[in-house]
Amino acid sequence: MSFRKGTFERDKTGILRPFCPAHAVGSLTEISLEWLASEGKKLIMLDVDHTLVEWKQENFSPAVLEWLEKAKTMGFSLCILSNTRRLERLARISKILGIKTYQGKFKPSPHMYSLALTDFGARPDEAVMIGDQIMTDVLGANRSGIDAIWVQKMVGPEFAGTKINRVIEKVVTSILYRSLVTDNSSVDDSASAVDAAKLPLWERKIVRQFIKFLFVGAISFTIDYLIRMSLLFWVKVDGESLGMRMATSVASVITIPAGIKTDSVAFFISAVVASFIATFNSFLLNRAFTFRISDKADAGKQAAKVYMVAYIGLAINSVIGTLFFHLLPGHPEMSAFIATAIGAGCAAVWNFFGQRNFAFKAK
Ligand SMILES: [Mg+2]
């Protein structure tokens, strides 16, 4: 299950209450500091790895640095609660950011949380813990009566022990998500929304996906063409094309209505075989390359959906193509060319959105 953002209805989580964050957000910088202030928060407790910076790294992104500076300017107290065993790195980070760290029993022990509360003279309800791990950051905060904001972990490798925690986290959150309400009060979405709009067209994700999709489509078209031609003309068995051979075999099993020639059957069979293989190519490449699905689960279902979309696309292509062929005035050859282009264009758009929003839709 992929990460989901929103606010948790913590009172509905029963025995899992200690593991339940108050909110889930995509990253630290999505958290609105104005909103934290309006919630009466004064002390921000921060996890380091995969919350502020990637594991083992010290190269903070400008956005993170900006967010921390803004928090300081707004008068928030900040501190770092980290379970890292690399104390030299932690000391460097503390120095770079100008934020105090605490040493004590590891999270989820309430120890470091209580040290920080005492030090800053803050009540638990005036503090907020921001971290990427349910089993340490969130659990420790809840045990201390502090609201936790769970951030999606950054991309990159993790400590082996963390990976075990992630397995438990997955199980726990799969249940907690039932109490998730999608609201964006905690999210400073103005920034990211503006950023997305500011991006040049070609850098937007959907545009890049569509270009990749067209590229995959060209490969699939070539595969379809090569297989079709091989079956119809190029590959011969005893002087007869493979397609004709297959048509003869089919005709020996099924009665082909009179008036339909064997070479029409051969063309039909070749088209079915070729489009089936080409669609499978589309499925594989679009899955791995265009939509970047790495999760191995659901591949079978996704393949079935891709075929469903493709065959509807085929129908759209022929119906729209035929319609325009009859509507367009002028030379029939020109009409056919334009009608084919319009039909193929409509089918391409259909296939793209069918795959993107249906077959490969993130859950
Ligand atoms: Mg962490």
Side-chain angles (χ1 to χ4, degrees), residues 283-331:
F283 160 71
L284 287 181
L285 289 186
N286 282 326
R287 188 170 193 276
F289 167 68
T290 311
F291 301 109
R292 296 184 169 273
I293 312 284
S294 50
D295 193 349
K296 286 188 180 64
D298 295 330
K301 269 188 208 160
Q302 289 165 354
K305 285 178 178 175
V306 166
Y307 276 102
M308 208 191 288
V309 169
Y311 288 127
I312 297 173
L314 199 63
I316 290 174
N317 192 344
S318 19
V319 170
I320 293 182
T322 312
L323 190 70
F324 273 89
F325 180 64
H326 288 289
L327 286 178
L328 290 168
H331 195 278

mmCIF file of all heavy atoms in Angstrom, residues 283-331:
data_model
loop_
_atom_site.group_PDB
_atom_site.id
_atom_site.type_symbol
_atom_site.label_atom_id
_atom_site.label_comp_id
_atom_site.label_asym_id
_atom_site.label_seq_id
_atom_site.Cartn_x
_atom_site.Cartn_y
_atom_site.Cartn_z
ATOM 1 N N PHE A 283 2.283 -3.218 -22.278
ATOM 2 C CA PHE A 283 2.079 -3.436 -20.840
ATOM 3 C C PHE A 283 3.417 -3.444 -20.098
ATOM 4 O O PHE A 283 3.607 -2.717 -19.128
ATOM 5 C CB PHE A 283 1.324 -4.753 -20.617
ATOM 6 C CG PHE A 283 1.476 -5.303 -19.235
ATOM 7 C CD1 PHE A 283 0.866 -4.674 -18.153
ATOM 8 C CD2 PHE A 283 2.241 -6.432 -18.993
ATOM 9 C CE1 PHE A 283 1.022 -5.164 -16.864
ATOM 10 C CE2 PHE A 283 2.398 -6.923 -17.706
ATOM 11 C CZ PHE A 283 1.786 -6.283 -16.639
ATOM 12 N N LEU A 284 4.364 -4.238 -20.590
ATOM 13 C CA LEU A 284 5.660 -4.355 -19.900
ATOM 14 C C LEU A 284 6.402 -3.022 -19.864
ATOM 15 O O LEU A 284 6.852 -2.584 -18.808
ATOM 16 C CB LEU A 284 6.545 -5.398 -20.604
ATOM 17 C CG LEU A 284 6.164 -6.866 -20.432
ATOM 18 C CD1 LEU A 284 7.175 -7.735 -21.182
ATOM 19 C CD2 LEU A 284 6.118 -7.270 -18.963
ATOM 20 N N LEU A 285 6.501 -2.368 -21.024
ATOM 21 C CA LEU A 285 7.294 -1.131 -21.087
ATOM 22 C C LEU A 285 6.609 0.030 -20.362
ATOM 23 O O LEU A 285 7.265 0.788 -19.654
ATOM 24 C CB LEU A 285 7.574 -0.752 -22.542
ATOM 25 C CG LEU A 285 8.555 -1.645 -23.299
ATOM 26 C CD1 LEU A 285 8.839 -1.062 -24.677
ATOM 27 C CD2 LEU A 285 9.867 -1.791 -22.543
ATOM 28 N N ASN A 286 5.309 0.160 -20.549
ATOM 29 C CA ASN A 286 4.633 1.268 -19.867
ATOM 30 C C ASN A 286 4.644 1.082 -18.361
ATOM 31 O O ASN A 286 4.740 2.041 -17.601
ATOM 32 C CB ASN A 286 3.189 1.420 -20.363
ATOM 33 C CG ASN A 286 3.142 2.114 -21.710
ATOM 34 O OD1 ASN A 286 3.965 2.983 -21.991
ATOM 35 N ND2 ASN A 286 2.206 1.728 -22.549
ATOM 36 N N ARG A 287 4.582 -0.176 -17.940
ATOM 37 C CA ARG A 287 4.585 -0.451 -16.511
ATOM 38 C C ARG A 287 5.942 -0.059 -15.904
ATOM 39 O O ARG A 287 6.014 0.636 -14.902
ATOM 40 C CB ARG A 287 4.327 -1.939 -16.281
ATOM 41 C CG ARG A 287 4.114 -2.329 -14.850
ATOM 42 C CD ARG A 287 3.631 -3.767 -14.793
ATOM 43 N NE ARG A 287 3.133 -4.078 -13.486
ATOM 44 C CZ ARG A 287 3.914 -4.452 -12.477
ATOM 45 N NH1 ARG A 287 5.197 -4.573 -12.653
ATOM 46 N NH2 ARG A 287 3.401 -4.695 -11.291
ATOM 47 N N ALA A 288 7.024 -0.518 -16.569
ATOM 48 C CA ALA A 288 8.351 -0.307 -15.998
ATOM 49 C C ALA A 288 8.909 1.078 -16.313
ATOM 50 O O ALA A 288 9.562 1.690 -15.480
ATOM 51 C CB ALA A 288 9.301 -1.368 -16.524
ATOM 52 N N PHE A 289 8.593 1.596 -17.503
ATOM 53 C CA PHE A 289 9.275 2.793 -18.000
ATOM 54 C C PHE A 289 8.382 4.041 -17.920
ATOM 55 O O PHE A 289 8.782 5.066 -17.372
ATOM 56 C CB PHE A 289 9.743 2.488 -19.427
ATOM 57 C CG PHE A 289 10.201 3.661 -20.238
ATOM 58 C CD1 PHE A 289 11.362 4.341 -19.906
ATOM 59 C CD2 PHE A 289 9.484 4.072 -21.358
ATOM 60 C CE1 PHE A 289 11.791 5.413 -20.678
ATOM 61 C CE2 PHE A 289 9.910 5.143 -22.122
ATOM 62 C CZ PHE A 289 11.071 5.814 -21.773
ATOM 63 N N THR A 290 7.155 3.953 -18.438
ATOM 64 C CA THR A 290 6.302 5.140 -18.472
ATOM 65 C C THR A 290 5.720 5.467 -17.097
ATOM 66 O O THR A 290 5.799 6.601 -16.633
ATOM 67 C CB THR A 290 5.145 4.941 -19.472
ATOM 68 O OG1 THR A 290 5.683 4.470 -20.704
ATOM 69 C CG2 THR A 290 4.396 6.236 -19.713
ATOM 70 N N PHE A 291 5.144 4.455 -16.447
ATOM 71 C CA PHE A 291 4.460 4.729 -15.176
ATOM 72 C C PHE A 291 5.263 4.264 -13.967
ATOM 73 O O PHE A 291 4.849 4.444 -12.830
ATOM 74 C CB PHE A 291 3.055 4.116 -15.188
ATOM 75 C CG PHE A 291 2.194 4.654 -16.301
ATOM 76 C CD1 PHE A 291 1.850 3.864 -17.389
ATOM 77 C CD2 PHE A 291 1.767 5.980 -16.288
ATOM 78 C CE1 PHE A 291 1.083 4.370 -18.428
ATOM 79 C CE2 PHE A 291 1.006 6.495 -17.320
ATOM 80 C CZ PHE A 291 0.657 5.688 -18.395
ATOM 81 N N ARG A 292 6.410 3.638 -14.229
ATOM 82 C CA ARG A 292 7.360 3.257 -13.176
ATOM 83 C C ARG A 292 6.726 2.540 -11.990
ATOM 84 O O ARG A 292 6.826 2.969 -10.843
ATOM 85 C CB ARG A 292 8.112 4.491 -12.665
ATOM 86 C CG ARG A 292 8.961 5.098 -13.739
ATOM 87 C CD ARG A 292 9.786 6.248 -13.222
ATOM 88 N NE ARG A 292 10.766 6.641 -14.209
ATOM 89 C CZ ARG A 292 11.965 6.088 -14.326
ATOM 90 N NH1 ARG A 292 12.351 5.161 -13.502
ATOM 91 N NH2 ARG A 292 12.786 6.490 -15.255
ATOM 92 N N ILE A 293 6.054 1.421 -12.296
ATOM 93 C CA ILE A 293 5.472 0.620 -11.227
ATOM 94 C C ILE A 293 6.533 -0.393 -10.803
ATOM 95 O O ILE A 293 6.953 -1.226 -11.602
ATOM 96 C CB ILE A 293 4.218 -0.151 -11.720
ATOM 97 C CG1 ILE A 293 3.268 0.754 -12.493
ATOM 98 C CG2 ILE A 293 3.531 -0.881 -10.578
ATOM 99 C CD1 ILE A 293 2.450 1.691 -11.690
ATOM 100 N N SER A 294 6.986 -0.292 -9.561
ATOM 101 C CA SER A 294 8.034 -1.219 -9.113
ATOM 102 C C SER A 294 7.439 -2.354 -8.280
ATOM 103 O O SER A 294 8.021 -3.419 -8.163
ATOM 104 C CB SER A 294 9.085 -0.464 -8.316
ATOM 105 O OG SER A 294 8.466 0.310 -7.327
ATOM 106 N N ASP A 295 6.260 -2.104 -7.713
ATOM 107 C CA ASP A 295 5.592 -3.112 -6.893
ATOM 108 C C ASP A 295 5.205 -4.306 -7.779
ATOM 109 O O ASP A 295 4.574 -4.135 -8.806
ATOM 110 C CB ASP A 295 4.340 -2.474 -6.287
ATOM 111 C CG ASP A 295 3.761 -3.334 -5.179
ATOM 112 O OD1 ASP A 295 4.192 -4.488 -5.031
ATOM 113 O OD2 ASP A 295 2.874 -2.835 -4.479
ATOM 114 N N LYS A 296 5.644 -5.515 -7.366
ATOM 115 C CA LYS A 296 5.368 -6.671 -8.212
ATOM 116 C C LYS A 296 3.919 -7.134 -8.122
ATOM 117 O O LYS A 296 3.432 -7.854 -8.994
ATOM 118 C CB LYS A 296 6.308 -7.823 -7.846
ATOM 119 C CG LYS A 296 7.716 -7.580 -8.335
ATOM 120 C CD LYS A 296 8.583 -8.806 -8.137
ATOM 121 C CE LYS A 296 9.999 -8.557 -8.625
ATOM 122 N NZ LYS A 296 10.701 -7.511 -7.848
ATOM 123 N N ALA A 297 3.240 -6.743 -7.053
ATOM 124 C CA ALA A 297 1.863 -7.189 -6.856
ATOM 125 C C ALA A 297 0.957 -6.648 -7.967
ATOM 126 O O ALA A 297 1.263 -5.626 -8.583
ATOM 127 C CB ALA A 297 1.367 -6.705 -5.498
ATOM 128 N N ASP A 298 -0.125 -7.343 -8.226
ATOM 129 C CA ASP A 298 -1.169 -6.872 -9.137
ATOM 130 C C ASP A 298 -0.769 -6.833 -10.608
ATOM 131 O O ASP A 298 -1.504 -6.297 -11.426
ATOM 132 C CB ASP A 298 -1.663 -5.456 -8.751
ATOM 133 C CG ASP A 298 -2.343 -5.470 -7.394
ATOM 134 O OD1 ASP A 298 -2.932 -6.512 -7.038
ATOM 135 O OD2 ASP A 298 -2.253 -4.457 -6.707
ATOM 136 N N ALA A 299 0.382 -7.401 -10.965
ATOM 137 C CA ALA A 299 0.818 -7.349 -12.363
ATOM 138 C C ALA A 299 -0.214 -8.035 -13.268
ATOM 139 O O ALA A 299 -0.523 -7.538 -14.355
ATOM 140 C CB ALA A 299 2.189 -8.000 -12.519
ATOM 141 N N GLY A 300 -0.758 -9.156 -12.825
ATOM 142 C CA GLY A 300 -1.742 -9.895 -13.622
ATOM 143 C C GLY A 300 -2.987 -9.071 -13.878
ATOM 144 O O GLY A 300 -3.458 -8.956 -15.017
ATOM 145 N N LYS A 301 -3.481 -8.450 -12.803
ATOM 146 C CA LYS A 301 -4.682 -7.616 -12.924
ATOM 147 C C LYS A 301 -4.412 -6.425 -13.841
ATOM 148 O O LYS A 301 -5.235 -6.046 -14.664
ATOM 149 C CB LYS A 301 -5.074 -7.068 -11.531
ATOM 150 C CG LYS A 301 -6.032 -7.960 -10.783
ATOM 151 C CD LYS A 301 -6.508 -7.239 -9.527
ATOM 152 C CE LYS A 301 -6.873 -8.248 -8.471
ATOM 153 N NZ LYS A 301 -6.887 -7.676 -7.125
ATOM 154 N N GLN A 302 -3.222 -5.843 -13.675
ATOM 155 C CA GLN A 302 -2.870 -4.688 -14.504
ATOM 156 C C GLN A 302 -2.794 -5.085 -15.977
ATOM 157 O O GLN A 302 -3.270 -4.353 -16.841
ATOM 158 C CB GLN A 302 -1.526 -4.100 -14.040
ATOM 159 C CG GLN A 302 -1.624 -3.398 -12.702
ATOM 160 C CD GLN A 302 -0.272 -3.124 -12.069
ATOM 161 O OE1 GLN A 302 0.763 -3.557 -12.563
ATOM 162 N NE2 GLN A 302 -0.268 -2.405 -10.958
ATOM 163 N N ALA A 303 -2.233 -6.278 -16.240
ATOM 164 C CA ALA A 303 -2.138 -6.752 -17.629
ATOM 165 C C ALA A 303 -3.540 -6.916 -18.216
ATOM 166 O O ALA A 303 -3.816 -6.468 -19.337
ATOM 167 C CB ALA A 303 -1.374 -8.068 -17.680
ATOM 168 N N ALA A 304 -4.444 -7.523 -17.444
ATOM 169 C CA ALA A 304 -5.814 -7.719 -17.927
ATOM 170 C C ALA A 304 -6.471 -6.379 -18.251
ATOM 171 O O ALA A 304 -7.151 -6.223 -19.273
ATOM 172 C CB ALA A 304 -6.626 -8.465 -16.868
ATOM 173 N N LYS A 305 -6.216 -5.394 -17.391
ATOM 174 C CA LYS A 305 -6.801 -4.066 -17.609
ATOM 175 C C LYS A 305 -6.208 -3.392 -18.847
ATOM 176 O O LYS A 305 -6.912 -2.717 -19.594
ATOM 177 C CB LYS A 305 -6.587 -3.184 -16.378
ATOM 178 C CG LYS A 305 -7.502 -3.553 -15.215
ATOM 179 C CD LYS A 305 -7.205 -2.667 -14.021
ATOM 180 C CE LYS A 305 -8.121 -2.978 -12.858
ATOM 181 N NZ LYS A 305 -7.737 -2.201 -11.660
ATOM 182 N N VAL A 306 -4.886 -3.592 -19.045
ATOM 183 C CA VAL A 306 -4.240 -3.004 -20.230
ATOM 184 C C VAL A 306 -4.867 -3.583 -21.508
ATOM 185 O O VAL A 306 -5.156 -2.847 -22.457
ATOM 186 C CB VAL A 306 -2.711 -3.241 -20.205
ATOM 187 C CG1 VAL A 306 -2.081 -2.946 -21.560
ATOM 188 C CG2 VAL A 306 -2.064 -2.365 -19.134
ATOM 189 N N TYR A 307 -5.107 -4.902 -21.506
ATOM 190 C CA TYR A 307 -5.738 -5.523 -22.683
ATOM 191 C C TYR A 307 -7.149 -4.979 -22.895
ATOM 192 O O TYR A 307 -7.560 -4.695 -24.015
ATOM 193 C CB TYR A 307 -5.757 -7.052 -22.543
ATOM 194 C CG TYR A 307 -4.450 -7.668 -22.982
ATOM 195 C CD1 TYR A 307 -3.510 -8.094 -22.057
ATOM 196 C CD2 TYR A 307 -4.134 -7.770 -24.334
ATOM 197 C CE1 TYR A 307 -2.291 -8.631 -22.457
ATOM 198 C CE2 TYR A 307 -2.924 -8.303 -24.755
ATOM 199 C CZ TYR A 307 -2.003 -8.736 -23.814
ATOM 200 O OH TYR A 307 -0.809 -9.246 -24.222
ATOM 201 N N MET A 308 -7.871 -4.822 -21.776
ATOM 202 C CA MET A 308 -9.237 -4.299 -21.868
ATOM 203 C C MET A 308 -9.226 -2.911 -22.512
ATOM 204 O O MET A 308 -9.966 -2.632 -23.455
ATOM 205 C CB MET A 308 -9.809 -4.212 -20.446
ATOM 206 C CG MET A 308 -11.305 -4.353 -20.355
ATOM 207 S SD MET A 308 -11.859 -3.914 -18.688
ATOM 208 C CE MET A 308 -11.279 -5.288 -17.766
ATOM 209 N N VAL A 309 -8.341 -2.069 -21.989
ATOM 210 C CA VAL A 309 -8.208 -0.698 -22.510
ATOM 211 C C VAL A 309 -7.812 -0.739 -23.997
ATOM 212 O O VAL A 309 -8.374 -0.017 -24.823
ATOM 213 C CB VAL A 309 -7.159 0.093 -21.685
ATOM 214 C CG1 VAL A 309 -6.802 1.407 -22.366
ATOM 215 C CG2 VAL A 309 -7.677 0.363 -20.284
ATOM 216 N N ALA A 310 -6.851 -1.627 -24.322
ATOM 217 C CA ALA A 310 -6.337 -1.683 -25.703
ATOM 218 C C ALA A 310 -7.434 -2.091 -26.688
ATOM 219 O O ALA A 310 -7.531 -1.527 -27.775
ATOM 220 C CB ALA A 310 -5.165 -2.648 -25.778
ATOM 221 N N TYR A 311 -8.263 -3.059 -26.300
ATOM 222 C CA TYR A 311 -9.291 -3.513 -27.238
ATOM 223 C C TYR A 311 -10.407 -2.488 -27.400
ATOM 224 O O TYR A 311 -10.953 -2.325 -28.490
ATOM 225 C CB TYR A 311 -9.813 -4.899 -26.842
ATOM 226 C CG TYR A 311 -8.760 -5.951 -27.127
ATOM 227 C CD1 TYR A 311 -8.336 -6.843 -26.153
ATOM 228 C CD2 TYR A 311 -8.123 -6.008 -28.377
ATOM 229 C CE1 TYR A 311 -7.329 -7.777 -26.403
ATOM 230 C CE2 TYR A 311 -7.125 -6.933 -28.640
ATOM 231 C CZ TYR A 311 -6.728 -7.818 -27.646
ATOM 232 O OH TYR A 311 -5.735 -8.719 -27.908
ATOM 233 N N ILE A 312 -10.715 -1.774 -26.319
ATOM 234 C CA ILE A 312 -11.679 -0.675 -26.460
ATOM 235 C C ILE A 312 -11.064 0.407 -27.351
ATOM 236 O O ILE A 312 -11.726 0.986 -28.214
ATOM 237 C CB ILE A 312 -12.094 -0.106 -25.086
ATOM 238 C CG1 ILE A 312 -12.814 -1.184 -24.273
ATOM 239 C CG2 ILE A 312 -13.008 1.117 -25.250
ATOM 240 C CD1 ILE A 312 -13.129 -0.812 -22.837
ATOM 241 N N GLY A 313 -9.750 0.628 -27.159
ATOM 242 C CA GLY A 313 -9.013 1.602 -27.977
ATOM 243 C C GLY A 313 -9.069 1.248 -29.454
ATOM 244 O O GLY A 313 -9.225 2.119 -30.323
ATOM 245 N N LEU A 314 -8.977 -0.049 -29.726
ATOM 246 C CA LEU A 314 -9.039 -0.526 -31.104
ATOM 247 C C LEU A 314 -10.404 -0.193 -31.723
ATOM 248 O O LEU A 314 -10.504 0.266 -32.867
ATOM 249 C CB LEU A 314 -8.832 -2.049 -31.103
ATOM 250 C CG LEU A 314 -8.428 -2.713 -32.400
ATOM 251 C CD1 LEU A 314 -7.075 -2.207 -32.850
ATOM 252 C CD2 LEU A 314 -8.367 -4.235 -32.204
ATOM 253 N N ALA A 315 -11.450 -0.395 -30.906
ATOM 254 C CA ALA A 315 -12.811 -0.086 -31.368
ATOM 255 C C ALA A 315 -12.964 1.409 -31.617
ATOM 256 O O ALA A 315 -13.503 1.836 -32.648
ATOM 257 C CB ALA A 315 -13.825 -0.562 -30.333
ATOM 258 N N ILE A 316 -12.442 2.218 -30.673
ATOM 259 C CA ILE A 316 -12.507 3.683 -30.820
ATOM 260 C C ILE A 316 -11.793 4.095 -32.104
ATOM 261 O O ILE A 316 -12.307 4.889 -32.905
ATOM 262 C CB ILE A 316 -11.842 4.377 -29.596
ATOM 263 C CG1 ILE A 316 -12.711 4.173 -28.356
ATOM 264 C CG2 ILE A 316 -11.617 5.875 -29.864
ATOM 265 C CD1 ILE A 316 -12.090 4.693 -27.075
ATOM 266 N N ASN A 317 -10.622 3.521 -32.308
ATOM 267 C CA ASN A 317 -9.805 3.824 -33.479
ATOM 268 C C ASN A 317 -10.601 3.562 -34.772
ATOM 269 O O ASN A 317 -10.700 4.439 -35.644
ATOM 270 C CB ASN A 317 -8.545 2.944 -33.437
ATOM 271 C CG ASN A 317 -7.501 3.396 -34.439
ATOM 272 O OD1 ASN A 317 -7.794 4.161 -35.363
ATOM 273 N ND2 ASN A 317 -6.283 2.923 -34.266
ATOM 274 N N SER A 318 -11.212 2.372 -34.865
ATOM 275 C CA SER A 318 -11.899 2.066 -36.126
ATOM 276 C C SER A 318 -13.197 2.848 -36.293
ATOM 277 O O SER A 318 -13.500 3.311 -37.400
ATOM 278 C CB SER A 318 -12.150 0.557 -36.275
ATOM 279 O OG SER A 318 -12.062 -0.089 -35.067
ATOM 280 N N VAL A 319 -13.958 3.023 -35.187
ATOM 281 C CA VAL A 319 -15.233 3.749 -35.315
ATOM 282 C C VAL A 319 -14.989 5.207 -35.689
ATOM 283 O O VAL A 319 -15.570 5.734 -36.653
ATOM 284 C CB VAL A 319 -16.058 3.651 -34.001
ATOM 285 C CG1 VAL A 319 -17.249 4.606 -34.042
ATOM 286 C CG2 VAL A 319 -16.522 2.218 -33.780
ATOM 287 N N ILE A 320 -14.089 5.873 -34.943
ATOM 288 C CA ILE A 320 -13.823 7.289 -35.224
ATOM 289 C C ILE A 320 -13.178 7.450 -36.599
ATOM 290 O O ILE A 320 -13.523 8.353 -37.370
ATOM 291 C CB ILE A 320 -12.953 7.918 -34.113
ATOM 292 C CG1 ILE A 320 -13.771 7.957 -32.827
ATOM 293 C CG2 ILE A 320 -12.482 9.329 -34.494
ATOM 294 C CD1 ILE A 320 -13.096 8.583 -31.648
ATOM 295 N N GLY A 321 -12.247 6.547 -36.926
ATOM 296 C CA GLY A 321 -11.587 6.596 -38.234
ATOM 297 C C GLY A 321 -12.600 6.483 -39.369
ATOM 298 O O GLY A 321 -12.602 7.291 -40.306
ATOM 299 N N THR A 322 -13.486 5.517 -39.246
ATOM 300 C CA THR A 322 -14.499 5.299 -40.283
ATOM 301 C C THR A 322 -15.430 6.501 -40.408
ATOM 302 O O THR A 322 -15.747 6.966 -41.511
ATOM 303 C CB THR A 322 -15.328 4.037 -39.950
ATOM 304 O OG1 THR A 322 -14.428 2.990 -39.617
ATOM 305 C CG2 THR A 322 -16.200 3.605 -41.112
ATOM 306 N N LEU A 323 -15.832 7.006 -39.232
ATOM 307 C CA LEU A 323 -16.743 8.162 -39.201
ATOM 308 C C LEU A 323 -16.135 9.351 -39.944
ATOM 309 O O LEU A 323 -16.762 9.944 -40.825
ATOM 310 C CB LEU A 323 -16.999 8.531 -37.731
ATOM 311 C CG LEU A 323 -18.093 9.547 -37.453
ATOM 312 C CD1 LEU A 323 -19.458 8.922 -37.738
ATOM 313 C CD2 LEU A 323 -18.034 10.014 -35.995
ATOM 314 N N PHE A 324 -14.887 9.669 -39.619
ATOM 315 C CA PHE A 324 -14.237 10.814 -40.262
ATOM 316 C C PHE A 324 -13.992 10.565 -41.750
ATOM 317 O O PHE A 324 -14.048 11.488 -42.548
ATOM 318 C CB PHE A 324 -12.938 11.189 -39.529
ATOM 319 C CG PHE A 324 -13.172 12.136 -38.397
ATOM 320 C CD1 PHE A 324 -13.448 11.665 -37.120
ATOM 321 C CD2 PHE A 324 -13.164 13.515 -38.616
ATOM 322 C CE1 PHE A 324 -13.695 12.549 -36.080
ATOM 323 C CE2 PHE A 324 -13.417 14.405 -37.578
ATOM 324 C CZ PHE A 324 -13.685 13.915 -36.298
ATOM 325 N N PHE A 325 -13.734 9.305 -42.091
ATOM 326 C CA PHE A 325 -13.527 8.982 -43.506
ATOM 327 C C PHE A 325 -14.767 9.345 -44.317
ATOM 328 O O PHE A 325 -14.695 9.862 -45.425
ATOM 329 C CB PHE A 325 -13.188 7.496 -43.657
ATOM 330 C CG PHE A 325 -12.954 7.098 -45.080
ATOM 331 C CD1 PHE A 325 -11.889 7.620 -45.813
ATOM 332 C CD2 PHE A 325 -13.826 6.222 -45.711
ATOM 333 C CE1 PHE A 325 -11.688 7.269 -47.126
ATOM 334 C CE2 PHE A 325 -13.625 5.864 -47.036
ATOM 335 C CZ PHE A 325 -12.558 6.379 -47.752
ATOM 336 N N HIS A 326 -15.942 9.116 -43.712
ATOM 337 C CA HIS A 326 -17.194 9.442 -44.409
ATOM 338 C C HIS A 326 -17.532 10.924 -44.341
ATOM 339 O O HIS A 326 -18.195 11.451 -45.218
ATOM 340 C CB HIS A 326 -18.340 8.610 -43.829
ATOM 341 C CG HIS A 326 -18.251 7.174 -44.232
ATOM 342 N ND1 HIS A 326 -18.495 6.748 -45.515
ATOM 343 C CD2 HIS A 326 -17.891 6.069 -43.522
ATOM 344 C CE1 HIS A 326 -18.305 5.438 -45.578
ATOM 345 N NE2 HIS A 326 -17.937 5.004 -44.382
ATOM 346 N N LEU A 327 -17.085 11.583 -43.271
ATOM 347 C CA LEU A 327 -17.418 13.003 -43.085
ATOM 348 C C LEU A 327 -16.533 13.933 -43.903
ATOM 349 O O LEU A 327 -16.975 14.969 -44.396
ATOM 350 C CB LEU A 327 -17.283 13.388 -41.606
ATOM 351 C CG LEU A 327 -18.381 12.877 -40.665
ATOM 352 C CD1 LEU A 327 -18.068 13.310 -39.236
ATOM 353 C CD2 LEU A 327 -19.752 13.418 -41.092
ATOM 354 N N LEU A 328 -15.231 13.553 -44.007
ATOM 355 C CA LEU A 328 -14.276 14.467 -44.626
ATOM 356 C C LEU A 328 -14.487 14.557 -46.135
ATOM 357 O O LEU A 328 -14.601 13.547 -46.819
ATOM 358 C CB LEU A 328 -12.841 14.011 -44.338
ATOM 359 C CG LEU A 328 -12.367 14.161 -42.896
ATOM 360 C CD1 LEU A 328 -11.063 13.403 -42.683
ATOM 361 C CD2 LEU A 328 -12.185 15.630 -42.540
ATOM 362 N N PRO A 329 -14.529 15.817 -46.630
ATOM 363 C CA PRO A 329 -14.673 15.987 -48.074
ATOM 364 C C PRO A 329 -13.309 15.825 -48.756
ATOM 365 O O PRO A 329 -12.296 15.636 -48.083
ATOM 366 C CB PRO A 329 -15.151 17.433 -48.190
ATOM 367 C CG PRO A 329 -14.578 18.124 -47.000
ATOM 368 C CD PRO A 329 -14.393 17.090 -45.921
ATOM 369 N N GLY A 330 -13.295 15.876 -50.057
ATOM 370 C CA GLY A 330 -12.026 15.890 -50.791
ATOM 371 C C GLY A 330 -11.639 14.515 -51.312
ATOM 372 O O GLY A 330 -12.441 13.576 -51.323
ATOM 373 N N HIS A 331 -10.391 14.439 -51.720
ATOM 374 C CA HIS A 331 -9.850 13.214 -52.298
ATOM 375 C C HIS A 331 -9.911 12.068 -51.283
ATOM 376 O O HIS A 331 -9.478 12.239 -50.137
ATOM 377 C CB HIS A 331 -8.406 13.469 -52.721
ATOM 378 C CG HIS A 331 -7.884 12.403 -53.626
ATOM 379 N ND1 HIS A 331 -7.397 11.213 -53.149
ATOM 380 C CD2 HIS A 331 -7.806 12.336 -54.972
ATOM 381 C CE1 HIS A 331 -7.021 10.466 -54.163
ATOM 382 N NE2 HIS A 331 -7.276 11.131 -55.298
#
